[in-house]
Amino acid sequence: MRVNRILLSSSLVVVALVIQVSVLARLHLPGAVPDLLLLTVLGLALVYGHVGGALIGFAAGLLADLAPPADHAAGRYALVLCVIGYLAGLVKPESGQVKSATGPMVVVVAAAVGSTLLYAGVGALVGDTAARHVGLGGLLFTAALYDLLLAPFVVPGVMALARRAENDPLAETNPAKSGDIASGWLSGGTGLRIGGQRGGLRVKAARARVARAGRIKGVKRL
């Protein structure tokens, strides 16, 4: 992973974890807790792909496992977010941008349900049966509901930040790829590529020179 990806991902994961532990976990909502960390991993995976999603998910989950007041075995949530990040990265759009909110919302619901089931399944393997006492059905419903309500405020912003960092021309140090970066860098949200702008300016300049030369020849003939 490049330096800009690591810095952005680390910052977003730490902020999401702090908000989740210090704010969301203390709301005492019925059922599950809104998983801001999961939504952050999903947003990054939808831009960086399955490899980046798996790495970010594992690091974010391990950080959550070690952060107080964690009451489960270290590595349990790291495994869950690693798998979720990998699977979410598989549905990454080819352009890195989504045209409709339907796809990301389906991914959010599937990730909320899948992470809850996987977390409960891993807990059952290590002897943690807390999900049975709380009620797995209620956890699945509330986890999907809370994450779905929170997703429109988190996932698009995370994806926008990830795309902006990904398109930063200073982040690529290989001169052989400088042309690709320049042509792929969107200018100011106008939807026009810098390479296309340069080509258009060159064509306009050439046309202006031809027109000016025609006018000069006409004057000489007179």
Side-chain angles (χ1 to χ4, degrees):
M1 297 179 67
R2 292 182 298 186
V3 176
N4 59 334
R5 287 189 179 187
I6 296 175
L7 293 177
L8 177 64
S9 302
S10 302
S11 302
L12 291 177
V13 165
V14 170
V15 171
L17 181 61
V18 170
I19 295 176
Q20 182 167 328
V21 172
S22 61
V23 179
L24 298 180
R26 298 185 179 182
L27 295 178
H28 301 292
L29 298 173
V33 176
D35 201 337
L36 184 60
L37 194 61
L38 172 66
L39 297 178
T40 303
V41 171
L42 290 179
L44 293 173
L46 289 175
V47 177
Y48 294 152
H50 59 284
V51 176
L55 294 175
I56 295 171
F58 178 80
L62 186 60
L63 188 62
D65 288 331
L66 300 177
D71 57 352
H72 55 269
R76 181 175 170 184
Y77 200 48
L79 174 62
V80 172
L81 286 188
C82 180
V83 174
I84 296 298
Y86 179 85
L87 295 178
L90 292 177
V91 298
K92 165 194 171 185
E94 295 182 358
S95 61
Q97 299 180 355
V98 292
K99 299 180 180 180
S100 174
T102 304
M105 292 299 102
V106 173
V107 172
V108 168
V109 174
V113 174
S115 62
T116 304
L117 289 175
L118 186 57
Y119 186 82
V122 175
L125 292 177
V126 297
D128 185 0
T129 60
R132 297 181 183 178
H133 303 291
V134 177
L136 186 57
L139 284 178
L140 292 175
F141 176 76
T142 54
L145 177 62
Y146 296 154
D147 291 349
L148 190 60
L149 293 176
L150 191 61
F153 304 98
V154 179
V155 177
V158 171
M159 293 181 66
L161 290 175
R163 287 197 302 265
R164 181 173 299 181
E166 189 73 1
N167 293 332
D168 188 356
L170 298 179
E172 182 64 64
T173 58
N174 188 356
K177 297 183 179 180
S178 59
D180 295 336
I181 297 169
S183 62
W185 185 21
L186 298 182
S187 58
T190 59
L192 300 177
R193 296 183 180 274
I194 291 180
Q197 287 182 338
R198 283 205 298 261
L201 292 176
R202 290 175 181 174
V203 171
K204 291 181 180 180
R207 290 178 179 176
R209 287 197 296 269
V210 171
R212 186 166 56 253
R215 290 195 298 269
I216 293 175
K217 290 181 179 179
V219 173
K220 287 184 177 179
R221 288 177 182 177
L222 292 176

